Amino acid sequence: MTTIKDIAKQAGVSHGTVSNVLNGRGNVSVKKIKLVEDAAKKLGYQLNLQAKILKEGAAKTISVVLPNITSQQYANVYDGLFHDLNQLGYELTLYLTYDSRELEQKIIEQIAVKRDYAVIAVSTLDNANRYYQRIKIAKEKIIFVYRQPESAVQFITLDYEKAGADIASQIMKHDYKRIGLLSNSDHHTHAQSFKKGLQKAFNAQHYPIELKSIESIPSNTTYNLSFSFFTKESEPFDVLITMDIERARYLRNASYFGSLQLCPPIYTLTDDSFFYENNFYQYHMNYGMLSQQIISLIKGEQVSKLDNKGFFLLPDQIANTKFNNNEEINVLIIPSPSTEALKKLLPHFKKMSGIKVNLIIEPFDKIYHILNKLEQYKQIDIIRIDMAGLPWFAPKIFKPLSDLNLNLTNLFNRYLPEIVKRYSYVNNTAYALPFDPSVQMLFYRKDLFEDPLIKRSYFEKYRQHLDVPVDFKKFDQIAGFFNQAQNPESPVEFGSCITLGNEEIIASEFLVRYYAQGGKLFSNQQLGLDCSIAIETLTQLQSFMQIANKVDAAWWQESVNQFEQGRLAMIMVYVNLFSYINYRNILPLVGYAQVPGNSPLFGGGSLGISKYSKKTVSATLFFDWIYSEEISEQIALLGGTTAQNSILQNQRIIKSYPWLKLAQLQYANGKRENYIGNQAINLRHIEHIIGHYLSKWIKGQYSSEQVILKINSHIKKEYC
């Protein structure tokens, strides 16, 4: 067996140096790190992690005990735990009991010899003391989920009683009387709560039912049991209920193969994602979000009860108003990930309402041209407007939302107040609803920032630790470090990039740095740039451009593509543009943070109804549809941006776009000065002026002092 002594001899270094390198400790030079790593690799050395744990007396390991991972509620919880705890540096070990008490007791003995930080269990046992007696960690770190054994100190579940009551309410609406229930074992806490909710709801309304209940555990016998509901053809059930989608599918198969009659409607619990299945009515539970609450318990934090998501897209939730097949509305919109997502979903709106939606997809410049001459485009009903132009254009082109038959309070409650304020209101009047709100964020290669060799190399060069930059001085320094022209050892071509193919984009690249230094567009009763701050920003920007990859593209998507392809260590970009991830294998390597200086620019836009539209009722129905939680989640799942609060309760969305939680927090810091006091300004035009002159500065036509004077002179001429 290879020892530290062997490695030290092979590498020509001391025993202490080898120990420090293998354990990630100590002040070891890059040269010696490479010698030790090469020697260890050559000798086939592998660090004995278990021995390390026993020696140090601590482990970042967690054992998870589940009945199976085929059932949604267990698979979703484990998936969420694995995803989030791995990011926190924990290693998970999964044990499956298949609902066997004997097997679970053997598993407890296996866990007992480890030194886990925590244990999470969906247990088959009646009493928690078996865990407490054998596993020598704090009782609070042994967390029981869904099933509550006697003496359990830490227990967490979802609101199954409310789920039962809500399903009972739907059943009573349809006057179903003969009910079949294929449930989990009555021995389990969540099954007991679910049945209690059903019965209490029926009893409260004195609603007479004939209930046949069969309990089971997920197994081959469950499929056999599902045929029991179809043995009496003369007494068919009005409706069937299950506690998971797996049992619901068993029932549908049993009906197909074992009955001459059509399968009755099936109401079933399912996870937080909507998948259409004919005659299935899905009640959504927050299985995935439960994992986050478990993690909070592990950390010793307080948790509040999770709300069920409830029913999505029930037949009786579909609008009763149907239009003839010739009814159409026209929507003017920019090309974007959200537009592509909307395009995929429009057939559903057509099926629901009978209304056809025509998307008129035009670039920014063309849309602003149309807005300035909207009286010539009266066929347009709905307009997507960039938030920078909302205050300037909205009162001139939109109908106030108060004129429409919309529940504005309900709609606005789905967003953060900062979003509603910046994407809907102009002088206390709501003109539009947020469509694809966005904010700038920093994305970086987490694997590079955590690599010990890279970290040591950075320290040797700058005598500073390689941390995620919180200001632009550090950002530019790191960008230079990862530039292969300056550092041939860099694993990527560039530290970052700058997009220079569009004047508004150039303005954005400048303004995020300008704001980070405390700059404003309006100060001292004047509109324009602060000369000293602007010149300092240009000095900084000029140094950055010497080491950044200069991308000549009209939009940021090419820069995002380069990051996804592994050419960049960092990128600053709007969240909605980072949603298209083509190279999915890079996702686990991506870290995210606030932009340096923490003064991100707002982006994205809103939807309003043109004041010339004659189809207000149809447009209002479209708003009701697109801003429903169901459709907003579908847009997010398809790569679009909605920023509704509900997306943070969808595990699939958060897993695909984990930065959305942090993005929500950044709206409070967002900047886009489209007002002077209470007076709206044409910010898009001002940004065009800034970008126009900066493009000439980049080409060397003006000095920094000259270009700031040119910008301020032009702005003063136009607006003062």
Side-chain angles (χ1 to χ4, degrees), residues 368-648:
Y368 277 100
H369 172 78
I370 293 172
L371 296 184
N372 283 311
K373 299 180 179 181
L374 191 60
E375 68 279 0
Q376 299 177 19
Y377 299 89
K378 294 182 179 181
Q379 73 276 17
I380 295 173
D381 301 293
I382 296 173
I383 301 167
R384 188 273 189 195
I385 186 168
D386 189 74
M387 67 86 57
L390 178 70
W392 180 257
F393 285 102
K396 305 170 187 176
I397 65 172
F398 288 147
K399 296 179 180 180
L401 296 182
S402 57
D403 293 351
L404 310 177
N405 185 24
L406 290 169
N407 187 337
L408 291 181
T409 301
N410 184 46
L411 287 171
F412 287 151
N413 283 341
R414 298 174 184 175
Y415 296 92
L416 295 173
E418 295 87 352
I419 293 176
V420 173
K421 178 182 177 182
R422 299 305 301 272
Y423 290 82
S424 295
Y425 279 91
V426 178
N427 293 331
N428 298 318
T429 299
Y431 285 99
L433 289 169
F435 175 61
D436 54 354
S438 188
V439 69
Q440 288 174 318
M441 282 185 64
L442 171 66
F443 297 91
Y444 63 95
R445 283 282 298 277
K446 185 170 57 175
D447 59 319
L448 302 183
F449 277 73
E450 294 175 353
D451 185 281
L453 197 61
I454 293 175
K455 290 169 68 175
R456 182 60 197 178
S457 179
Y458 184 85
F459 182 81
E460 288 185 358
K461 183 169 184 177
Y462 299 107
R463 293 297 160 184
Q464 296 175 4
H465 294 292
L466 178 58
D467 300 318
V468 178
V470 296
D471 57 47
F472 278 104
K473 182 179 178 181
K474 186 70 175 285
F475 176 85
D476 294 348
Q477 181 173 287
I478 294 172
F481 171 75
F482 281 111
N483 185 316
Q484 283 184 349
Q486 295 190 11
N487 176 14
E489 298 289 320
S490 173
V492 291
E493 291 180 66
F494 297 95
S496 191
C497 67
I498 183 168
T499 305
L500 300 173
N502 175 290
E503 291 177 349
E504 281 80 9
I505 288 179
I506 293 172
S508 179
E509 298 277 10
F510 166 80
L511 286 171
V512 67
R513 290 172 176 264
Y514 177 73
Y515 286 132
Q517 297 193 69
K520 296 180 179 179
L521 287 180
F522 179 75
S523 59
N524 300 323
Q525 305 302 311
Q526 290 187 353
L527 182 63
L529 300 174
D530 181 293
C531 290
S532 61
I533 296 177
I535 290 172
E536 174 59 29
T537 302
L538 289 180
T539 301
Q540 183 190 83
L541 190 60
Q542 193 169 43
S543 297
F544 173 67
M545 286 193 295
Q546 292 174 4
I547 49 91
N549 184 25
K550 292 180 276 293
V551 181
D552 184 17
W555 203 237
W556 279 283
Q557 195 59 52
E558 176 56 31
S559 298
V560 174
N561 291 342
Q562 292 195 15
F563 180 82
E564 293 173 343
Q565 292 161 12
R567 297 182 62 192
L568 309 174
M570 303 179 294
I571 185 174
M572 284 188 304
V573 72
Y574 289 97
V575 173
N576 62 330
L577 300 175
F578 201 76
S579 297
Y580 268 161
I581 303 295
N582 298 319
Y583 295 82
R584 287 286 175 180
N585 59 314
I586 205 173
L587 262 182
L589 309 179
V590 175
Y592 44 90
Q594 64 191 34
V595 296
N598 199 23
S599 294
L601 299 184
F602 281 121
S606 309
L607 294 179
I609 298 179
S610 169
K611 68 178 185 180
Y612 296 108
S613 175
K614 302 297 184 182
K615 300 175 181 177
T616 303
V617 175
S618 302
T620 302
L621 277 176
F622 177 76
F623 273 22
D624 281 334
W625 173 80
I626 195 173
Y627 288 105
S628 67
E629 289 187 6
E630 298 92 329
I631 298 303
S632 290
E633 288 194 6
Q634 291 298 313
I635 289 174
L637 286 167
L638 291 169
T641 304
T642 70
Q644 283 199 12
N645 297 328
S646 63
I647 67 173
L648 299 182

Side-chain angles (χ1 to χ4, degrees), residues 222-401:
T222 303
Y223 186 46
N224 287 329
L225 289 171
S226 64
F227 280 78
S228 304
F229 291 93
F230 304 100
T231 54
K232 294 184 179 180
E233 292 286 349
S234 60
E235 299 178 12
F237 287 95
D238 298 327
V239 66
L240 299 171
I241 306 171
T242 73
M243 289 187 66
D244 58 58
I245 202 80
E246 181 183 26
R247 288 180 173 83
R249 288 169 178 152
Y250 284 166
L251 285 173
R252 190 166 62 179
N253 273 20
S255 171
Y256 180 76
F257 288 111
S259 174
L260 295 173
Q261 302 183 29
L262 293 176
C263 185
I266 300 175
Y267 285 78
T268 182
L269 304 187
T270 187
D271 64 10
D272 57 8
S273 301
F274 178 83
F275 290 96
Y276 177 77
E277 295 203 39
N278 190 36
N279 223 23
F280 272 23
Y281 302 100
Q282 301 168 39
Y283 185 92
H284 298 266
M285 304 290 286
N286 260 318
Y287 297 141
M289 300 307 295
L290 186 62
S291 63
Q292 295 189 16
Q293 291 203 313
I294 295 169
I295 292 169
S296 295
L297 289 177
I298 291 172
K299 294 178 178 178
E301 300 170 353
Q302 293 291 324
V303 298
S304 55
K305 197 172 186 179
L306 270 177
D307 290 333
N308 302 335
K309 297 191 72 173
F311 287 109
F312 273 15
L313 302 172
L314 286 175
D316 52 5
Q317 292 176 325
I318 293 177
N320 292 322
T321 306
K322 285 278 186 178
F323 290 76
N324 62 53
N325 291 332
N326 296 322
E327 184 73 7
E328 297 184 8
I329 54 175
N330 298 312
V331 179
L332 179 64
I333 199 164
I334 64 165
S336 73
S338 296
T339 299
E340 288 302 307
L342 174 60
K343 190 188 300 184
K344 294 179 176 72
L345 296 169
L346 285 177
H348 178 265
F349 180 65
K350 170 71 173 176
K351 285 189 294 186
M352 185 194 83
S353 65
I355 301 168
K356 181 183 178 182
V357 176
N358 301 312
L359 295 183
I360 305 170
I361 303 174
E362 300 287 358
F364 273 109
D365 291 345
K366 181 67 178 293
I367 286 182
Y368 277 100
H369 172 78
I370 293 172
L371 296 184
N372 283 311
K373 299 180 179 181
L374 191 60
E375 68 279 0
Q376 299 177 19
Y377 299 89
K378 294 182 179 181
Q379 73 276 17
I380 295 173
D381 301 293
I382 296 173
I383 301 167
R384 188 273 189 195
I385 186 168
D386 189 74
M387 67 86 57
L390 178 70
W392 180 257
F393 285 102
K396 305 170 187 176
I397 65 172
F398 288 147
K399 296 179 180 180
L401 296 182

